[in-house]
Amino acid sequence: ILKKIVEKENPDLVFMGKQAIDDDCNQTGQMLAAHLNWPQATFASKIEVKENSLEVTREVDEGLETIEVNTPAIVTCDLRLNEPRYASLPNIMKANKKPIDTLTTEDLNVDVKPRLSVIKVEEPSTREAGIKVNSVEELVEKLQAEAKVI
């Protein structure tokens, strides 16, 4: 769906969050870059726009790493990228009057039917309760006699 929207809008930069709150997977930006065959810069903590490229600084284990990617590109942000700004009431009122495009998957010609089906769900079998032994000798004896693993 995102690929089709990007192809429709034709932007020079797709700016995304670093990860989802539900599963913390950090994969949407990278997957979109792969689908579009665009360069990507992840975990951006600083971005400088150049003529046909972006200089992106990101935090890594050893310190800071700076990379340059050509546009169009996908960039995912880190929480240190900027200080959030809060919208003023007049700007909120202006935003409420702006039209919002509504697209369906049919509009984008995207097939979203499920590709997996659940065949069966069942609880795992119950296990027998474990036993406690009082000494190493008793443990070795039980492993030899009952479990037959030694």
Side-chain angles (χ1 to χ4, degrees):
I1 294 173
L2 286 174
K3 177 185 178 195
K4 292 290 186 172
I5 292 171
V6 169
E7 288 171 348
K8 178 182 180 294
E9 297 291 330
N10 198 28
D12 286 333
L13 171 64
V14 176
F15 191 65
M16 306 180 81
K18 179 174 76 172
Q19 58 208 67
I21 192 171
D22 57 353
D23 58 9
D24 209 24
C25 278
N26 177 26
Q27 62 188 356
T28 307
Q30 290 88 330
M31 288 175 66
L32 180 59
H35 281 294
L36 293 168
N37 198 24
W38 283 12
Q40 64 177 319
T42 56
F43 312 121
S45 60
K46 181 181 173 189
I47 301 173
E48 288 187 40
V49 179
K50 296 187 172 185
E51 190 172 325
N52 291 320
S53 65
L54 303 169
E55 188 174 280
V56 178
T57 303
R58 53 189 236 131
E59 292 182 21
V60 294
D61 291 339
E62 294 81 28
L64 297 176
E65 174 182 63
T66 302
I67 62 171
E68 188 170 324
V69 293
N70 294 326
T71 55
I74 308 291
V75 175
T76 64
C77 67
D78 187 73
L79 62 98
R80 290 164 200 67
L81 183 60
N82 71 340
E83 187 68 32
R85 297 181 313 199
Y86 298 98
S88 64
L89 185 57
N91 286 339
I92 293 172
M93 299 307 289
K94 287 178 192 174
N96 283 335
K97 295 177 184 172
K98 300 234 178 201
I100 298 175
D101 287 344
T102 303
L103 300 171
T104 65
T105 54
E106 290 82 23
D107 295 336
L108 298 171
N109 196 24
V110 175
D111 177 18
V112 291
K113 69 180 177 196
R115 305 283 194 292
L116 300 174
S117 60
V118 177
I119 297 170
K120 179 168 80 170
V121 176
E122 61 184 34
E123 289 187 30
S125 60
T126 57
R127 294 181 4 181
E128 291 183 25
I131 59 168
K132 290 184 178 182
V133 293
N134 295 322
S135 66
V136 174
E137 291 80 20
E138 187 180 352
L139 173 63
V140 171
E141 179 186 322
K142 291 204 178 277
L143 288 174
Q144 287 174 337
E146 295 175 20
K148 298 188 185 337
V149 293
I150 318 184

